[in-house]
Amino acid sequence: MTTRDLVLIALFAAITAVLGLFPALTLPITGVPVTAQTLGVMLAGSILGARRGGLALVVFLVLVAVGLPLLAGGRGGAAVFSGVTAGFLFSWPVAAFVIGWLTEKAWSRYALLHAVSINVFGGILIVYAGGIAWMVAVAGIPLDKALYGSLPFIPGDALKVIAAATAAVALKRYQQHPLGQSA
């Protein structure tokens, strides 16, 4: 790991924290807040690649676990990892890693459609799978209610997918993408 890698990992952990400053809107059906932080997950994977993107989210979650109020609404501490939203949180490093890995594999032909598809898979499907599975298994929410309760998140997540994909493709176009320098 180079100093540059460490700086990029810290930077994307910080970006994810800053995205938590946007006011959260909690949905009554599931109790899960709508936040901008999954944009940080998508950006970390799309821009940093698998290893660094996943590590950025691990660093972020460690900071949350030690009590820093970095989640939407100023939440932090170990208790958030046992709540109804914990499955979403646990999925973030996995999602960033998968987005990064798929981006690395598609790099030679990487374009907006690839970027959108990759971010939908990692940033929506993987995150939702982890979050919904946790709600069903740990919080005791019936699967149909958890699935139905997740529907209102899709429009916002689609906007985040477009933003992350556009940023990654633009960086590639201008040869400033970190993957092009040391993946």
Side-chain angles (χ1 to χ4, degrees):
M1 262 263 173
T2 66
T3 301
R4 183 176 182 277
D5 291 334
L6 296 174
V7 168
L8 288 170
I9 290 165
L11 174 64
F12 278 82
I15 288 170
T16 305
V18 168
L19 289 168
L21 296 175
F22 291 96
L25 170 66
T26 302
L27 299 178
I29 295 173
T30 61
V32 177
V34 176
T35 75
Q37 288 185 297
T38 51
L39 175 59
V41 173
M42 294 178 210
L43 287 169
S46 294
I47 294 172
L48 297 183
R51 184 174 49 97
R52 293 181 299 186
L55 284 173
L57 274 297
V58 168
V59 167
F60 174 80
L61 292 181
V62 167
L63 294 172
V64 168
V66 298
L68 294 179
L70 302 178
L71 293 174
R75 297 174 306 124
V80 300
F81 295 100
S82 62
V84 71
T85 62
F88 292 98
L89 299 176
F90 291 131
S91 73
W92 288 1
V94 175
F97 181 89
V98 169
I99 291 167
W101 184 77
L102 292 171
T103 298
E104 291 167 8
K105 295 298 176 200
W107 190 243
S108 65
R109 62 189 188 289
Y110 195 69
L112 189 59
L113 182 58
H114 293 108
V116 167
S117 299
I118 289 167
N119 279 287
V120 165
F121 181 74
I124 295 179
L125 294 178
I126 288 178
V127 170
Y128 281 44
I132 290 170
W134 182 272
M135 286 192 285
V136 170
V138 177
I141 296 173
L143 179 59
D144 61 335
K145 188 174 180 183
L147 289 168
Y148 180 73
S150 297
L151 291 177
F153 291 94
I154 292 174
D157 286 336
L159 292 173
K160 293 178 229 175
V161 161
I162 292 167
T166 302
V169 170
L171 287 172
K172 180 184 186 215
R173 184 176 312 133
Y174 294 107
Q175 301 303 315
Q176 298 298 313
H177 198 297
L179 281 177
Q181 298 172 8
S182 73

